[in-house]
């Protein structure tokens, strides 16, 4: 079988590192997007808020591997303890630029190659906190609004790319123990399971969906 190439954003730690490990464990060539440092040959400098950084990272992968088959939009930040009526909108804007526009920038950079190859898997790391159906608490408003928007982007990209061989889905990893959620009960490898599954879907697999634990989740 052909060897696939994947790019995982925010892969230096947390869930992104676990997703990268999970994909590498399946024999996929994994590029780990990192903002700074990066010790291995397949670490690629990538700040999703910086258009030039996104363009340069994808160009480097295309130069070396000639393809990006899989994109996992994992990089994300939260606005933590804000409340909607008093939220600092400069903070919310930074969250939006990272979680929504960052994923959008990366998708735009890889979609043309995926469409011409007739194969692609894009996984947007969403959150149960972004489900409108479950949005009954006023916590982390910048984060929640951004993850709801990321779900919308997932639907729109999936609609545009239907029939091209490019599948676009969103994943909630569950509550995962990382720097973002140090007291969470789920380990990163368990949180990575659904994203890795979506990143390696067979042809004809679902697109435009939102999944947790490999099951559809309410929008
Ligand atoms: N943990 C949970 O319970 C949970 C639940 C649902 C969804 N998620 C989602 O899972 C994803 C990963 O979160 P995590 O829990 O692993 O959090 P984390 O440990 O805080 O990791 C966040 C990652 O995003 C990277 N990042 C932040 N801003 C970036 C930027 N502008 N450009 C590139 N990379 C950037 C960070 O890189 P630096 O090291 O350079 O800051 C880091 O690698 C996020 O999208 C988060 O919303 C997490």
């Amino acid at each position: 079988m052909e060897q696939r190439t994947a790019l995982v954003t925010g892969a230096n730690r947390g869930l992104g590192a676990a997703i990268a490990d999970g994909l590498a464990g399946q024999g996929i060539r994994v590029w780990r997007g990192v903002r700074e440092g990066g010790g291995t040959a397949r670490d690629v400098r990538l700040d999703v808020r910086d258009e030039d950084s996104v363009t340069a990272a994808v160009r480097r992968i295309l130069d070396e591997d000639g393809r990006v088959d899989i994109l996992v939009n994992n990089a994300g930040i939260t606005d933590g303890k804000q409340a909607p009526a008093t939220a600092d909108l400069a903070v919310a804007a930074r969250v939006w630029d990272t979680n929504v526009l960052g994923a959008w920038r990366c998708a735009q950079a890889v979609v043309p190659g995926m469409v011409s190859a007739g194969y692609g898997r894009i996984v947007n790391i969403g959150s149960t906190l972004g489900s409108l159906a479950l949005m009954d608490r006023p916590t982390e408003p910048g984060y929640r609004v951004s993850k709801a928007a990321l779900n919308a982007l997932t639907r729109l990209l999936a609609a545009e790319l239907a029939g091209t061989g490019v599948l676009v889905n969103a994943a909630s990893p569950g509550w995962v123990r990382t720097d973002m959620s140090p007291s969470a009960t789920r380990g990163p490898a368990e949180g990575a399971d659904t994203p890795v599954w979506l990143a390696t879907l067979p042809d004809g697999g679902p697109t435009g969906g939102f999944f947790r634990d490999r099951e559809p989740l309410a929008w």
Side-chain angles (χ1 to χ4, degrees):
M1 212 167 79
E2 257 180 300
Q3 192 180 22
R4 300 290 183 193
T5 289
L7 169 61
V8 181
T9 70
N12 56 316
R13 60 188 166 97
L15 190 67
I19 293 169
D21 288 347
L23 292 172
Q26 298 201 20
I28 292 165
R29 282 186 303 242
V30 181
W31 290 85
R32 295 167 192 258
V34 298
R35 279 201 287 189
E36 49 192 49
T40 77
R42 288 190 182 277
D43 287 345
V44 61
R45 196 65 64 89
L46 176 56
D47 182 338
V48 300
R49 294 182 66 200
D50 178 347
E51 176 97 42
D52 291 343
S53 169
V54 171
T55 304
V58 170
R59 190 181 307 121
R60 179 171 163 210
I61 298 170
L62 291 174
D63 283 350
E64 294 204 25
D65 284 356
R67 57 203 292 165
V68 182
D69 302 298
I70 297 164
L71 168 67
V72 181
N73 278 316
N74 166 80
I77 57 173
T78 180
D79 56 340
K81 290 189 169 50
Q82 300 210 89
T86 51
D88 180 341
L89 297 186
V91 174
R94 196 158 61 240
V95 174
W96 178 269
D97 194 29
T98 305
N99 296 4
V100 185
L101 299 185
W104 205 334
R105 283 182 195 103
C106 292
Q108 288 192 338
V110 301
V111 158
M114 288 178 169
V115 169
S116 59
Y119 181 95
R121 303 289 180 263
I122 298 176
V123 183
N124 293 325
I125 304 302
S127 171
T128 307
L129 295 181
S131 164
L132 290 172
L134 305 173
M135 210 166 285
D136 54 0
R137 287 182 297 126
T139 55
E140 300 179 63
Y143 182 76
R144 284 172 167 245
V145 168
S146 78
K147 292 297 187 181
L150 186 60
N151 280 349
L153 178 65
T154 302
R155 299 278 294 180
L156 294 171
L157 279 172
E160 181 181 1
L161 297 171
T164 65
V166 181
L167 307 178
V168 187
N169 290 287
S172 165
W175 194 38
V176 180
R177 198 165 49 253
T178 65
D179 291 352
M180 188 181 280
S181 303
S183 51
T185 42
R186 181 173 273 198
E190 196 184 342
D193 176 74
T194 295
V196 168
W197 169 67
L198 290 171
T200 55
L201 286 172
D203 291 342
T207 189
F210 183 30
F211 297 91
R212 182 177 62 193
D213 295 336
R214 303 192 183 200
E215 296 293 336
L217 182 61
W219 293 108

